Amino acid sequence: MWHLEAFDNDTELRTAKYLLHDMTVEIVKEILGIDDSDFELPVIAGQSGVPHDKVLEFAKYIHEPIEVDPNCEYEVGLFAD
């Protein structure tokens, strides 16, 4: 399953993890503007950083409220659940 995670900038600890329902690699690449055709590993193989202005684009795939914390870094990734 795809997840969006928030990590506190001060402690580097994960502060939130959101399940992204109906997410696909194509949607992730479109939101983040990624073309992984020249990468050694595809986007699906790791976590990708999410700029603050893109976090809310992922929110429509989350079934719970989300607020963007300016003191957090966000990452999206595919995890086995």
Side-chain angles (χ1 to χ4, degrees), residues 5-9 15 49-52 55 69-75:
E5 297 180 308
F7 296 91
D8 184 273
N9 285 330
T15 60
V50 178
H52 285 132
V55 171
D69 184 342
N71 193 46
C72 286
E73 295 297 320
Y74 290 86
E75 295 185 0

Side-chain angles (χ1 to χ4, degrees), residues 16-61:
K17 183 175 181 178
Y18 304 98
L19 176 62
L20 296 168
H21 300 272
D22 302 319
M23 182 56 60
T24 66
V25 67
E26 290 81 15
I27 295 170
V28 171
K29 288 168 37 173
E30 180 180 322
I31 291 173
L32 297 179
I34 295 174
D35 174 9
D36 65 355
S37 60
D38 291 334
F39 293 174
E40 188 173 315
L41 294 173
V43 166
I44 201 167
Q47 286 185 258
S48 297
V50 178
H52 285 132
D53 64 335
K54 300 288 184 180
V55 171
L56 292 180
E57 292 187 44
F58 287 100
K60 60 185 160 186
Y61 300 96

